[in-house]
């Protein structure tokens, strides 16, 4: 078995989204569980990535199963799914790890001889996972703060719509944003934080509420799923260009609003790689003895706006 990298070490691999399986077949048929979500359009390319990994590993005698255990990132949902994967004798598990409660379940799998990778969201609580594939969420929050400050001229009122306050990844994006505002943009005031459960329709209503309560609102920051809901509310209120929206991810609905200039900036995190790379790298670890160089494989974080969208989005 290869020595695993340090838990907190971080790098962006050159083969992000394109890592290939080692040219070696397993001694026996294997199966890998990829535990994800489908609660908003962000997860479509993640699932596509997992399906691509399944295609690549099938000739090597490996079955990759995309499994959706529920619609929230919580340990209650994913811990039970990890337990189920152990019972079903999966050879490896890739999982979302939204909060610290997932850590004991990961350790249980590792103790049973099943390597685990985390992706998209991971807890800061140390555990036995082999590696993580996903964004540096705190830095993404910092990047979003700069994008918002640039959009609104460094001053004004901003509302925050987060996905789940209990999900560490979403909190890192919120804290990175708020910490940067306090340190670098003292003339920007956060007027409230609400959670939309990653739903666009809830974000729509919350954005309306922010604008009603703050007629001089300058911006809305959406940390997770459903930013197109907030953008739709701004557009319908005829406040496009007046209330700036900053968000994440390149889903079709979001990019449509970037093209129109309603969303001033959206920040990517390579969801395809998040779905694809964990299964391939787990196989390479188990069969080829190849461990990633870093414990955290940080995905690209491109900042996209109306001016450069053609470089990142062709639809």
């Amino acid at each position: 078995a290869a020595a695993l990298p340090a838990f907190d070490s971080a790098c962006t691999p050159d083969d992000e989204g394109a890592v290939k399986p080692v040219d070696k077949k397993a001694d026996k048929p294997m199966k890998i569980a990829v535990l994800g979500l489908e609660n908003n359009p962000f997860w479509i390319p993640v699932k596509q990535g997992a399906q691509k990994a399944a295609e690549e590993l099938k000739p090597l005698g490996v079955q990759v199963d995309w499994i959706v255990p529920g619609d929230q990132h919580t340990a209650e949902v994913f811990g039970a799914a990890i337990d189920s994967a152990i019972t079903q004798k999966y050879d490896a598990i890739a999982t979302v790890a939204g909060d610290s409660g997932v850590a004991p379940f990961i350790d249980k799998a590792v103790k049973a001889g099943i390597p685990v990778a985390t992706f998209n969201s991971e807890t800061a609580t140390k555990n036995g996972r082999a590696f993580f594939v996903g964004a540096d969420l705190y830095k993404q929050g910092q990047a979003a703060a700069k994008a918002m400050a640039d959009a609104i001229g460094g001053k004004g009122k901003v509302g925050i719509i987060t996905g789940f306050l209990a999900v560490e990844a979403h909190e890192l994006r919120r804290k990175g944003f708020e910490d940067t505002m306090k340190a670098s943009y003292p003339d920007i005031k956060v007027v409230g934080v609400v959670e939309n459960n990653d739903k666009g329709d809830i974000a729509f209503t919350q954005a309306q509420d922010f604008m009603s309560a703050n007629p001089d609102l300058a911006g809305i920051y959406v940390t997770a799923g459903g930013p197109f809901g907030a953008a739709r509310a701004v557009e319908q209120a005829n406040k496009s260009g007046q209330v700036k929206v900053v968000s994440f991810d390149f889903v079709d609905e979001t990019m449509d609003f970037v093209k129109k200039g309603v969303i001033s900036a959206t920040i990517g995190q390579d969801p395809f790689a998040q779905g694809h790379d964990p299964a391939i790298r787990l196989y390479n670890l188990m069969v080829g003895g190849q461990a990633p160089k870093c414990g955290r494989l940080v995905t690209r974080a491109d900042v996209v706006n109306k001016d450069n969208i053609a470089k990142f989005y062709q639809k």
Side-chain angles (χ1 to χ4, degrees):
L4 296 178
F7 186 88
D8 290 326
S9 58
C11 60
T12 298
D14 293 336
D15 57 358
E16 175 185 317
V19 57
K20 299 296 183 186
V22 293
D23 189 17
K24 183 180 178 183
K25 199 166 184 178
D27 295 333
K28 64 179 182 67
M30 300 174 69
K31 56 180 186 173
I32 299 173
V34 182
L35 311 178
L37 291 163
E38 292 183 7
N39 61 359
N40 70 75
F42 165 79
W43 292 96
I44 295 171
V46 181
K47 181 179 180 179
Q48 290 170 342
Q51 291 171 330
K52 178 63 174 175
E55 288 176 18
E56 293 172 346
L57 290 172
K58 187 176 180 180
L60 297 170
V62 183
Q63 173 184 322
V64 176
D65 293 330
W66 170 258
I67 299 168
V68 181
D71 63 358
Q72 295 191 9
H73 301 66
T74 60
E76 182 182 359
V77 172
F78 280 86
I82 293 169
D83 264 351
S84 179
I86 295 171
T87 301
Q88 294 176 54
K89 300 191 182 302
Y90 276 91
D91 296 282
I93 301 168
T95 183
V96 172
D99 62 57
S100 61
V102 180
F105 294 95
I106 292 172
D107 289 341
K108 182 179 177 181
V110 173
K111 190 174 180 181
I114 303 170
V116 177
T118 53
F119 68 96
N120 182 258
S121 302
E122 88 154 348
T123 174
T125 301
K126 294 283 180 72
N127 59 77
R129 64 99 169 110
F131 57 88
F132 164 74
V133 178
D136 183 321
L137 285 309
Y138 188 83
K139 285 184 178 178
Q140 281 201 316
Q142 293 178 311
K146 184 181 184 308
M148 179 64 78
D150 290 346
I152 66 176
K155 61 183 178 180
K157 296 178 181 177
V158 174
I160 297 177
I161 300 175
T162 194
F164 296 92
L165 291 167
V167 172
E168 290 182 40
H170 299 174
E171 279 296 272
L172 285 169
R173 280 180 174 166
R174 181 179 70 83
K175 289 174 181 175
F177 183 88
E178 290 193 357
D179 290 351
T180 302
M181 288 304 185
K182 287 174 185 174
S184 303
Y185 307 103
D187 292 331
I188 296 176
K189 180 186 177 185
V190 174
V191 295
V193 179
V194 294
E195 55 182 345
N196 74 334
N197 299 335
D198 275 352
K199 304 295 185 185
D201 56 344
I202 298 176
F204 175 83
T205 302
Q206 291 169 332
Q208 288 181 320
D209 292 343
F210 271 131
M211 290 185 288
S212 295
N214 304 275
D216 56 346
L217 190 73
I220 298 172
Y221 169 49
V222 187
T223 74
F228 42 85
R232 192 168 68 252
V234 169
E235 185 178 56
Q236 288 189 12
N238 293 318
K239 290 191 173 183
S240 300
Q242 179 183 336
V243 178
K244 311 289 187 177
V245 180
V246 172
S247 67
F248 294 95
D249 304 321
F250 299 167
V251 302
D252 292 348
E253 294 94 329
T254 297
M255 297 310 250
D256 287 343
F257 282 109
V258 173
K259 284 180 181 176
K260 291 192 279 188
V262 182
I263 292 180
S264 298
T266 192
I267 301 168
Q269 56 172 316
D270 201 345
F272 178 88
Q274 292 183 26
H276 173 268
D277 294 5
I280 302 294
R281 294 193 193 280
L282 282 168
Y283 179 80
N284 292 350
L285 178 66
M286 292 185 293
V287 176
Q290 294 183 4
K293 291 181 181 179
C294 304
R296 289 191 175 125
L297 303 175
V298 180
T299 49
R300 295 188 303 272
D302 300 305
V303 180
V304 176
N305 55 39
K306 188 178 180 180
D307 295 332
N308 68 1
I309 189 170
K311 202 173 141 188
F312 299 93
Y313 185 77
Q314 265 66 54
K315 288 184 183 180

